[in-house]
Amino acid sequence: MAILDTSGFNRDSHHRHDDSLAFLEAVRSASLLPYNGTPPTNTMREAIFQILKEETSLELIIGSYQLLNELDKRFPRVCLPKVEEPASSLPPTILDEPVSVEEAWCPFTLGLDRDEETNKGSSGSIDPMGFHSLIQELGKMTNQKSKALETKILRKMLLLHYLVSVLEADFVPRNKVFKEKMSWTLLRDSLLNMLLGSRKIIYKGLVKDCLSVVCDVFSDLSLQSESSVVDSVASPSNEISYNCTAAFALALPDLKRSTCIYLKKLLRMMMELDTSRNVADVQGLTTRADGVRTPAEEIILDELAYNSDMLSPFFQTFDDPWWKLKMIMQYFHKYIPKSSVRTRRSSSPVNDSTFEGVLKCFSNSRSTKNIIKRIGGDVAQLLLGHAFLAYLSVSVESSAENDDFEEMVKGKSRTEICKHIVAAFTSIRKEDKNSEILLFGKQAVFTAATILSTKS
């Protein structure tokens, strides 16, 4: 009752705190402990989510976050039907459409047909504007240099972690089936698509804020060690309070890393949705109601081109090799000089749509000078090094099912790519005499040379 009706209780009242803990334990005992436990009602899930959103107690924040994740694993909203493994002589089985639990509670308030009063009345859910504001608030918190460490940071981070997990659990099975059956309706009804398509948020602003937080958090973690965080906490008179603060200070770097991971998941899902949306558009499956928006990948690349300081932290922390290689190639395409005469059926030996074609552009002195003039030698080294490492992480054999990756590498051997990498860095060093090869570039050249020596 203290959770559902707070009119007679102070927020910091120990009675309300005890009732909330008892409520969480009761839900766990009824739904998770028994083998055939019953799923909690929507009102119960909404109350748990409200605890995560509003409470200040560390115990309640952690308890509600863990309980929500455990409930979602035990009682998923969307799941793929189990398919028996076919015999080796039979063709692969096409996945059936994912099963959605009707009337299941959702932490998001979505839909253009809902008015503001409806959104305000749902205290246990969050709307698209609230989701965007949450990311912006985290960005401001990571930039703050205050020595005071409050549970508000923890609550905001865990809230974001949970919301992204919900989006991922809903989007991944839908996108997997879309690739098999080309059913755009599945993705149109996904939580992610409805969230990004909401008129309450500025899509470009959301992508830029996610990118900014990822880069800021990574840069902050690179400059700050865990020991320095603890040392910066002044020792209060209460020893217990100091111990709690110091423990939270130790945990904060890991929380920031986790936040960075979840935001990378969100960005990757945005780009995967854009890719599937483009496929559906080519197939004629989309309608005017789906609207038009700039792809997230293009927004990210424009932001990186505008602010080159983000390049290093972004590509260091963005660890998906396929997307990393694709984005770096798209970045280079903005600056690689194009031939004055080129047709669709041109038999030009340099095809800059492939990774080898991009590398070959550095074998030409004139082209290398133009690229260095536009983006700088250091940026070129950084991008080439990350692209090479991404290429090594995703081999052609392990990505045989990925037609886009095969198109980028065109079946070229690793030996040929390594030769082009060494030649590219040599050309950059020759044309940009005022700079030295970066440490990261030296590592890439050394790796390529080592591979070549083992193949000879």
Side-chain angles (χ1 to χ4, degrees):
M1 290 301 295
I3 301 171
L4 301 178
D5 183 10
T6 60
S7 57
F9 296 90
N10 187 305
R11 175 175 295 278
D12 298 325
S13 170
H14 71 277
H15 296 292
R16 185 183 180 199
H17 178 270
D18 293 342
D19 287 348
S20 298
L21 286 177
F23 169 71
L24 296 178
E25 185 60 32
V27 175
R28 182 184 298 276
S29 300
S31 301
L32 297 178
L33 295 184
Y35 176 78
N36 57 346
T38 58
T41 63
N42 291 348
T43 303
M44 295 166 68
R45 286 205 183 193
E46 185 173 324
I48 301 171
F49 186 69
Q50 187 174 345
I51 291 175
L52 176 61
K53 282 179 56 182
E54 300 178 356
E55 291 297 337
T56 58
S57 165
L58 184 63
E59 190 176 12
L60 288 175
I61 294 172
I62 299 295
S64 58
Y65 172 74
Q66 292 178 339
L67 182 57
L68 284 171
N69 281 287
E70 292 174 3
L71 289 173
D72 286 349
K73 291 180 180 178
R74 184 73 175 271
F75 309 104
R77 299 176 183 83
V78 177
C79 59
L80 288 173
K82 294 183 179 180
V83 180
E84 296 182 358
E85 292 292 334
S88 58
S89 59
L90 298 177
T93 304
I94 298 179
L95 296 172
D96 293 331
E97 292 191 4
V99 179
S100 301
V101 180
E102 296 183 2
E103 303 300 328
W105 175 80
C106 175
F108 293 98
T109 302
L110 302 171
L112 298 176
D113 55 337
R114 300 186 180 185
D115 55 22
E116 294 294 331
E117 294 300 324
T118 302
N119 293 338
K120 291 180 181 179
S122 183
S123 59
S125 59
I126 188 168
D127 63 1
M129 185 181 297
F131 181 74
H132 191 181
S133 298
L134 174 63
I135 296 175
Q136 292 175 328
E137 290 176 10
L138 285 175
K140 295 178 181 178
M141 290 178 181
T142 55
N143 291 328
Q144 289 177 352
K145 302 302 180 182
S146 174
K147 294 183 180 181
L149 299 175
E150 303 176 356
T151 55
K152 181 179 179 181
I153 304 176
L154 172 66
R155 184 175 72 249
K156 296 291 184 181
M157 287 184 176
L158 293 184
L159 178 59
L160 177 67
H161 298 180
Y162 176 67
L163 293 175
V164 174
S165 297
V166 171
L167 293 174
E168 183 182 26
D170 177 79
F171 173 76
V172 171
R174 291 176 184 270
N175 195 43
K176 187 175 182 180
V177 175
F178 168 79
K179 294 178 181 179
E180 295 283 344
K181 303 183 68 174
M182 289 291 123
S183 178
W184 169 243
T185 305
L186 287 174
L187 285 180
R188 178 189 292 147
D189 295 337
S190 66
L191 295 177
L192 181 64
N193 186 61
M194 290 191 289
L195 174 70
L196 300 180
S198 173
R199 298 176 181 175
K200 297 182 179 180
I201 62 173
I202 301 176
Y203 179 65
K204 287 186 178 182
L206 176 63
V207 176
K208 290 181 180 180
D209 287 333
C210 290
L211 176 63
S212 176
V213 175
V214 168
C215 294
D216 288 344
V217 170
F218 181 84
S219 299
D220 183 62
L221 290 173
S222 300
L223 297 174
Q224 188 178 43
S225 64
E226 295 181 6
S227 59
S228 64
V229 176
V230 178
D231 294 340
S232 65
V233 179
S235 177
S237 57
N238 189 335
E239 183 177 354
I240 297 178
S241 175
Y242 171 73
N243 291 335
C244 294
T245 304
F248 181 73
L250 284 172
L252 186 59
D254 284 334
L255 285 171
K256 288 184 176 181
R257 292 188 188 96
S258 298
T259 301
C260 203
I261 291 173
Y262 278 95
L263 285 174
K264 287 188 294 183
K265 284 183 178 181
L266 180 59
L267 288 173
R268 187 169 62 247
M269 286 191 292
M270 289 180 184
M271 293 188 291
E272 289 176 353
L273 176 61
D274 290 335
T275 300
S276 298
R277 180 191 177 99
N278 183 57
V279 172
D281 187 56
V282 172
Q283 298 289 334
L285 303 176
T286 58
T287 63
R288 287 186 177 182
D290 293 311
V292 178
R293 60 172 178 256
T294 306
E297 180 184 357
E298 185 176 332
I299 298 173
I300 294 173
L301 290 176
D302 288 343
E303 192 69 9
L304 294 177
Y306 177 76
N307 188 355
S308 59
D309 292 337
M310 287 185 174
L311 278 171
S312 180
F314 176 74
F315 284 116
Q316 285 189 62
T317 187
F318 197 79
D319 50 6
D320 187 299
W322 185 86
W323 275 110
K324 181 184 290 188
L325 180 58
K326 181 182 178 184
M327 295 179 71
I328 292 176
M329 288 181 60
Q330 292 295 329
Y331 190 96
F332 272 126
H333 288 168
K334 293 176 176 289
Y335 303 102
I336 290 178
K338 303 298 188 296
S339 174
S340 57
V341 178
R342 175 176 292 186
T343 63
R344 293 184 178 180
R345 297 186 179 182
S346 173
S347 57
S348 174
V350 178
N351 180 10
D352 58 17
S353 64
T354 66
F355 185 38
E356 184 191 30
V358 171
L359 296 178
K360 280 186 176 181
C361 290
F362 287 90
S363 63
N364 183 298
S365 175
R366 187 176 183 179
S367 176
T368 302
K369 286 182 178 179
N370 288 333
I371 295 175
I372 292 176
K373 183 178 180 181
R374 294 186 179 186
I375 66 177
D378 291 348
V379 172
Q381 292 184 48
L382 178 71
L383 295 176
L384 285 176
H386 279 293
F388 180 57
L389 294 180
Y391 167 80
L392 294 178
S393 300
V394 186
S395 65
V396 177
E397 292 78 14
S398 64
S399 300
E401 72 279 1
N402 194 326
D403 295 335
D404 291 334
F405 182 78
E406 287 189 341
E407 185 68 21
M408 283 194 294
V409 299
K410 285 292 186 182
K412 292 298 179 181
S413 67
R414 183 174 294 183
T415 302
E416 292 176 330
I417 295 296
C418 290
K419 291 179 180 179
H420 291 310
I421 283 289
V422 174
F425 275 94
T426 302
S427 180
I428 292 175
R429 180 66 184 90
K430 180 180 178 181
E431 302 301 332
D432 191 15
K433 298 179 180 180
N434 295 327
S435 64
E436 296 291 337
I437 298 295
L438 302 176
L439 177 61
F440 186 71
K442 291 180 180 179
Q443 293 173 350
V445 173
F446 177 79
T447 302
T450 303
I451 295 175
L452 289 175
S453 64
T454 58
K455 296 294 183 180
S456 59

